[in-house]
Amino acid sequence: MNTNMHAFSKILIANRGEIAVRVMRTARAMGYRTVAVYSSADADAEHVRQADQAVWIGESLPAQSYLNIAAIIEAARTSGAQAVHPGYGFLAENAAFAQACRDAGLIFIGPSPEAIRAMGDKAGAKRLMQAAGVPCIPGYQGEDQSQPTLAAEAARIGWPVMIKATAGGGGRGMRLVTSAEAFADLLQSAQSEALNAFGDATVILERAIVAPRHIEIQVFADRHGNAIHLGERDCSVQRRHQKVIEESPSPAVSAELRERMGATAVAAAKAIAYEGAGTLEFLLDAEGQYWFMEMNTRLQVEHPVTEAVTGLDLVELQLRVAAGEPLPLTQQDVRMRGHAIEVRLCAEDPQQGFMPQSGTLAAWRPSPALRTEHALRDRAEVPAFYDSMIAKLVSHGRTRDEARQRLIAGLQDTVALGIATNQQFLQRALSHPVFAEGAATTAFIAAHADALLAPDTAAEDHAALLAALLLQLGGRGWPSALAHTLPNALRFALNGKVHAARVTPQGAGRFDVALDAHAPARIKLLSLPGDGAVRFSCNGVSEQAMSVRESAAHLWFHFRGRAFELQDLTHVAVPRAGAAGGDGLLRASMNGRVIALLAAEGDTVAAGQPLVTLEAMKMEHVHCAPRAGRVAALHVAVGAQVAARHVVAEIADA
């Protein structure tokens, strides 16, 4: 970091999406000019539109753009930026990037390359923390990576044991092992995944703390020797080691425990001469014991909950520290008020194993009652190349329950149409009694998956009645008083489930709708202002929805806090019974990139045999043969980009 006070006036944000927009907002308020960088996939992205200048840095794959250090340094040079903010993800914790900024005479808005390097290696970080007196989980972080040594060390630590890639992140290269018999296979799996993801198969072993809390402490330090903490965040609600809900303060942390954990975190920061924003992550057990996991040497995704309870702008503090200023407050100045909760809205389909989604966002209306961090707009593209998180929704209240209720209501009012999201799943999690009681641990989602993913039959039946009304109306608007009153037979798919309906107009905007051979419901159209909104009553109870039409036969609507996709099948031939997979066409389940072909043309395959692997949003998805037969054609090659529902392979009779 540069030692000259206020040595920059223009900041390049080496990131994309909501965090780039978030950094720009504070930078602009402080009088700084901003520079965006973008890949080919992001040419029209919101962070590009909001910056003062923007520089193209490469093609869509992260390795060709947002991970291309040379291209980003050159973008800073050509735009005249004197400082670089890395955001989070991508190069934010890359010591080589921080060093490249330093070598180019740029101010890196973050810690030194030495601090990033020290904490980036899990084994080395653990040794440093032990030397600083920070409690660490019993484990092994030695250089001997042979299978016999690791197996012996695991047995010494005691089961269950967690295998962790030292260069890891995002849950990759991690395996929970519950017995000696399972160790060898899971070790090989973890090492292989780590090598593929990070280019380094080295692992450490730790005793697995069963169903702990995941508690992290936000620290801030300057180059003048000052360091403080800003309380804790509880990030226990996770799925596959990825955070889903974050809150501050934690329901499990007392004032006394907060003081102890905060002092530990500050001591750790001082031990490595840390500068800027950082987070120490701990596991907390039911007895109140806590152990260091790792340090994130950057701003966190969930920093808004800390901002909400402290009233501080963490990006502003980052910029001031990077400019050489001392921290403008002491530990005694830090005050925590009320409670804040954040959820991560992701483009993924919980009903399909949380498969990542990409495509065009048909409509976006964030709730005005929440702080929503996003880089979205109507018709925004959600590319397949990057993380699936598209927005963060944050509530604040005097109490935890007030914040929770506000977030549930705000989530229900947020309109995100065109791509499947985890919107309903988040509402279910916030509403679950275990979360409401403040008792959720890292085991919460796995333990309650059935309840969190259960169908809501009543809401879906009402949505199907609304779907029939929308199809009956078509794009014509309010029905004419002279319209016929003959019954209209409809057939449609709602979120993939096929329904049959019989709609009988009764005049004056009233309809009798018989759904799937049930008794008719009386539907009355109350208002249709023309902006996609619709108000209607069903059997005397009025409700409202919002719809957006993609084509004559395809529309989306928001109803009761969730999105529904409606496809008119009235004029589509009904498939024969038992014809599932019968056409032999294998279609891509999402937009993605082909990374492996697992069969060749002419091969004989069994039903369900893996044929093609797609990569989307940092995850791999294997596509299997829809039926037994012979691979008649492969319509893709490795490296090709494919759109959702594109035919990738054809299976013919053997």
Side-chain angles (χ1 to χ4, degrees), residues 455-465 494 497 499 515 562 564:
D456 183 347
T457 307
E460 288 164 5
D461 287 348
H462 273 75
L465 292 170
L494 189 65
K497 182 179 178 182
H499 297 273
L515 184 69
R562 58 185 285 202
F564 290 90

Side-chain angles (χ1 to χ4, degrees), residues 202-282:
T202 309
V203 298
I204 64 171
L205 306 177
E206 289 179 348
R207 181 194 297 159
I209 311 300
V210 179
R213 296 271 192 166
H214 182 132
I215 307 294
E216 59 188 31
I217 304 289
Q218 176 72 60
V219 295
F220 245 98
D222 62 28
R223 71 188 58 166
H224 306 286
N226 305 305
I228 60 172
H229 73 85
L230 303 179
E232 83 283 1
R233 295 183 290 257
D234 192 319
C235 306
S236 300
V237 180
Q238 302 178 7
R239 192 184 68 79
R240 296 180 186 164
H241 306 291
Q242 295 276 14
K243 298 166 188 173
V244 176
I245 304 175
E246 303 108 346
E247 61 182 310
S248 183
S250 166
V253 174
S254 64
E256 183 273 333
L257 180 57
R258 178 175 303 115
E259 195 171 323
R260 278 197 293 132
M261 294 184 77
T264 298
V266 168
K270 287 185 172 181
I272 58 168
Y274 195 79
E275 292 180 25
T279 300
L280 281 96
E281 303 202 358
F282 297 94

Side-chain angles (χ1 to χ4, degrees), residues 269-425:
K270 287 185 172 181
I272 58 168
Y274 195 79
E275 292 180 25
T279 300
L280 281 96
E281 303 202 358
F282 297 94
L283 292 181
L284 175 69
D285 71 13
E287 283 71 51
Q289 279 191 288
Y290 61 91
W291 292 274
F292 170 80
M293 273 201 306
E294 63 185 5
M295 184 176 188
N296 296 125
T297 52
R298 54 170 166 79
L299 196 66
Q300 293 277 87
V301 174
E302 56 273 18
H303 76 273
V305 295
T306 297
E307 294 185 323
V309 296
T310 62
L312 299 168
D313 183 329
L314 269 59
V315 174
E316 178 183 344
L317 289 178
Q318 282 189 299
L319 300 185
R320 293 196 182 283
V321 167
E325 296 181 30
L327 282 172
L329 73 168
T330 65
Q331 192 65 60
Q332 288 68 38
D333 298 324
V334 178
R335 296 281 184 274
M336 297 178 70
R337 296 176 181 85
H339 201 99
I341 309 176
E342 172 184 291
V343 291
R344 302 186 184 195
L345 185 68
C346 295
E348 62 188 16
D349 188 348
Q351 300 301 328
Q352 301 294 326
F354 294 88
M355 186 176 288
Q357 306 292 302
S358 57
T360 304
L361 200 61
W364 171 247
R365 305 281 186 281
S367 166
L370 301 177
R371 171 180 172 178
T372 303
E373 295 290 346
H374 68 94
L376 303 171
R377 62 181 185 274
D378 289 355
R379 310 309 301 176
E381 286 298 317
V382 177
F385 307 99
Y386 314 118
D387 192 85
S388 62
M389 188 185 78
I390 57 173
K392 306 181 309 202
L393 285 66
V394 189
S395 66
H396 183 254
R398 292 169 302 165
T399 65
R400 182 176 188 269
D401 207 55
E402 186 177 283
R404 186 180 68 87
Q405 293 287 3
R406 282 180 176 170
L407 189 49
I408 293 169
L411 255 174
Q412 290 170 338
D413 293 341
T414 295
V415 176
L417 297 177
I419 300 172
T421 73
N422 63 341
Q423 184 174 9
Q424 186 191 29
F425 178 80

